[in-house]
Amino acid sequence: MKILVIGSGGREHALVWKIAQSMHVKKIYCAPGNAGIAQLAECVSISSDNISGLLEFACNNDIGLTVVGPEAPLVAGIVDEFQKAGLKIFGPAQNAARLEASKAFAKQVMLDQNVPTGHAAICLGIDEANEALSAIESFPVVIKADGLAAGKGVVICKDEETALETLTNMQVRKVFGNAGNTVVIEEFLEGEEASILVLTDGDEAIPLASSQDHKRVFDNDEGPNTGGMGAYSPAPVVTDELLRQVMDDVVYPVIRGMKAEGAPYHGILYAGIMVTKQGTKVLEFNVRFGDPETQAVLARLDSDLVEAMLWTIGEAKKPDLKWKGEASVCVVVASGGYPDDYKKGKVIDGLDKASKIKDVVVFHAGTKMSQVASAKSQVVTDGGRVLGVTALGKDIKAAIDNAYKAVSLIHFEGMHFRRDIGWRALKK
Ligand code: AMP
Ligand code: GLY
């Protein structure tokens, strides 16, 4: 069949790379894609939020399955639109995507289903928020804008002053637009984070290999939050026992709850968890694959991803996913200045050399082909996170060494990356 992948990041390159290995696939399109994806798929310049454009393309090109990478089109209802047109699409419908679209909704589902999560107050408007804040006795506290805020809507407030300032920013100055009208004020949880991704057909769930992201921009988890500077799989903090507990206490109750609500959940469900001394608690749900977790996780998958995706929409039998015994590490290479302002258009050297190392895949994120008429076209930077250099190794140490060996061959002006991806796993 022909497959359409929507998105343009490192996650989408990893999805396209894995989908290309499926025996069900004849041709892959990606909208809009990037320079790396273009080596495996035909890129079409339709942006990921242009739902009517994507629908028209899928109808006209005999697309057998559409795979949605980012959350925005899911939240905007792309799955509903495609299904109305009789097309097969991987991901949750709009009413189920509320698990990511609204932190207040997700919190309510967790409370209703007794899912372990931090104590929180859901506050509609500044008066309710101020009242909830005045009842708080100890800091830090976490304030979350209810709606999508491009990954910037969560603020850890060290004291009351910062909390008041944050509420003013979100609810009065409206720095996130309407996304901040409602806020969730949540207890600060201390511990180690991990990402648990499961595939689900609305009734049953299959966990993917565990992984851990590195959200802060600098080594030792310092500096501001980013979309993710690296990931590895498996995450030793996710023991078999912990995974069983998350499936029993989090995943299945949420899936059952969503179904009972009339919003059955299909696709990938991503639970961001914090392993605390008081037990494992859910920080958030995402309704899509993680980035860069997907690069690390799919590097280890030995089964047909398309078949597994088809199962989530009732089009294939339940798969038995097989994983490589090796560990994987993805090191994100970013533009100078990211996560703040950065320049684009820097020529990237060394991609071929790095890709030739055994067990290394260089996933592209913000890249494109330069349009220099006279010279040979080159790959140039086109975003904040530029590459996800991903490597396998017999253990986490070997995977880390392999990934950094590949990174050392790559160069572009201003590039930066963390040198300590995987440190928590090494420490164990
Ligand atoms: P979220 O989008 O809710 O996952 O939040 C983004 C990041 O903020 C998480 O990955 C955590 O690093 C951090 N965070 C969110 N909620 C909490 C919490 N209750 N306690 C501590 N850190 C949190
Ligand atoms: N890596 C975090 C996310 O995808 O949300």
Side-chain angles (χ1 to χ4, degrees):
M1 69 171 79
K2 294 193 208 167
I3 301 214
L4 170 64
V5 176
I6 295 172
S8 61
R11 163 184 54 207
E12 286 76 19
H13 191 183
L15 287 166
V16 166
W17 173 81
K18 193 67 210 170
I19 287 168
Q21 296 165 22
S22 167
M23 63 172 198
H24 297 282
V25 174
K26 197 166 78 189
K27 181 168 173 94
I28 308 174
Y29 295 95
C30 187
N34 61 38
I37 292 173
Q39 294 169 11
L40 298 168
E42 183 176 332
C43 293
V44 286
S45 65
I46 307 173
S47 83
S48 60
D49 53 10
N50 178 1
I51 295 181
S52 57
L54 293 164
L55 182 60
E56 192 185 331
F57 179 85
C59 288
N60 291 340
N61 288 276
D62 187 29
I63 299 297
L65 178 69
T66 297
V67 175
V68 188
E71 63 277 13
L74 295 166
V75 168
I78 191 170
V79 169
D80 311 61
E81 293 303 315
F82 272 54
Q83 284 175 344
K84 261 188 251 162
L87 295 172
K88 294 191 183 76
I89 182 163
F90 172 82
Q94 188 172 35
N95 59 3
R98 281 179 298 168
L99 277 178
E100 179 165 356
S102 165
K103 299 217 182 265
F105 174 81
K107 193 54 104 176
Q108 196 57 53
V109 171
M110 288 190 265
L111 292 176
D112 292 347
Q113 302 302 323
N114 281 317
V115 169
T117 183
H119 295 294
I122 299 170
C123 312
L124 292 82
I126 187 80
D127 293 340
E128 275 188 37
N130 278 327
E131 199 184 316
L133 192 61
S134 64
I136 284 168
E137 282 161 9
S138 71
F139 287 83
V141 73
V142 185
I143 300 185
K144 302 183 175 186
D146 179 47
L148 294 184
K152 299 196 173 120
V154 175
V155 183
I156 294 169
C157 305
K158 62 180 191 313
D159 50 30
E160 188 170 1
E161 198 187 328
T162 325
L164 284 168
E165 173 74 11
T166 302
L167 289 178
T168 307
N169 282 338
M170 289 186 185
Q171 298 190 302
V172 181
R173 296 194 191 111
K174 299 203 182 283
V175 293
F176 303 125
N178 289 333
N181 291 352
T182 295
V183 298
V184 175
I185 304 181
E186 186 171 283
E187 150 191 33
F188 177 76
L189 298 171
E190 265 186 287
E192 185 170 343
E193 283 185 53
S195 307
I196 308 277
L197 283 75
V198 306
L199 287 163
T200 171
D201 69 344
D203 289 306
E204 287 187 82
I206 306 173
L208 304 189
S210 64
S211 57
Q212 192 174 59
D213 187 10
H214 298 62
K215 290 217 161 81
R216 304 293 203 95
V217 68
F218 300 128
D219 289 7
N220 303 315
D221 293 330
E222 283 169 17
N225 262 343
T226 67
M229 292 299 289
Y232 64 90
S233 173
V237 68
V238 183
T239 58
D240 291 349
E241 170 60 24
L242 189 136
L243 178 62
R244 207 170 310 127
Q245 196 191 320
V246 170
M247 294 303 286
D248 290 348
D249 300 348
V250 177
V251 172
Y252 275 104
V254 168
I255 290 173
R256 281 195 293 266
M258 294 300 286
K259 190 174 182 184
E261 260 220 37
Y265 194 97
H266 298 263
I268 193 100
L269 179 63
Y270 165 147
I273 59 164
M274 184 77 92
V275 183
T276 77
K277 288 200 179 102
Q278 292 77 38
T280 300
K281 300 187 182 185
V282 176
L283 295 174
E284 64 163 343
F285 289 113
N286 293 316
V287 297
R288 45 153 178 93
F289 284 95
D291 189 342
E293 289 96 324
T294 303
Q295 293 86 313
V297 168
L298 292 186
R300 298 185 53 227
L301 179 62
D302 253 344
S303 304
D304 191 315
L305 181 62
V306 173
E307 243 169 64
M309 287 174 158
L310 287 171
W311 166 72
T312 68
I313 51 173
E315 297 286 337
K317 67 176 192 339
K318 191 177 174 192
D320 178 18
L321 297 185
K322 300 272 192 291
W323 299 93
K324 292 186 198 303
E326 290 114 311
S328 65
V329 169
C330 169
V331 177
V332 169
V333 182
S335 291
Y338 174 83
D340 297 322
D341 288 347
Y342 54 83
K343 294 215 165 61
K344 297 181 181 179
K346 306 291 177 195
V347 173
I348 308 173
D349 290 318
L351 288 170
D352 285 344
K353 263 197 225 157
S355 303
K356 285 202 180 100
I357 298 180
K358 187 171 175 296
D359 292 333
V360 167
V361 192
V362 179
F363 291 119
H364 290 218
T367 71
K368 68 171 189 182
M369 297 310 290
S370 66
Q371 305 290 325
V372 190
S374 55
K376 197 169 147 256
S377 193
Q378 287 168 302
V379 180
V380 298
T381 64
D382 193 41
R385 291 190 291 176
V386 176
L387 303 167
V389 180
T390 305
L392 292 172
K394 68 177 186 331
D395 53 24
I396 189 77
K397 169 86 172 53
I400 290 171
D401 290 347
N402 214 12
Y404 281 108
K405 191 166 115 191
V407 170
S408 75
L409 299 173
I410 293 171
H411 179 78
F412 59 87
E413 191 189 312
M415 72 181 239
H416 73 94
F417 56 90
R418 279 181 62 160
R419 289 165 201 277
D420 64 346
I421 300 302
W423 69 270
R424 281 197 176 81
L426 274 185
K427 221 173 76 179
K428 291 204 160 87

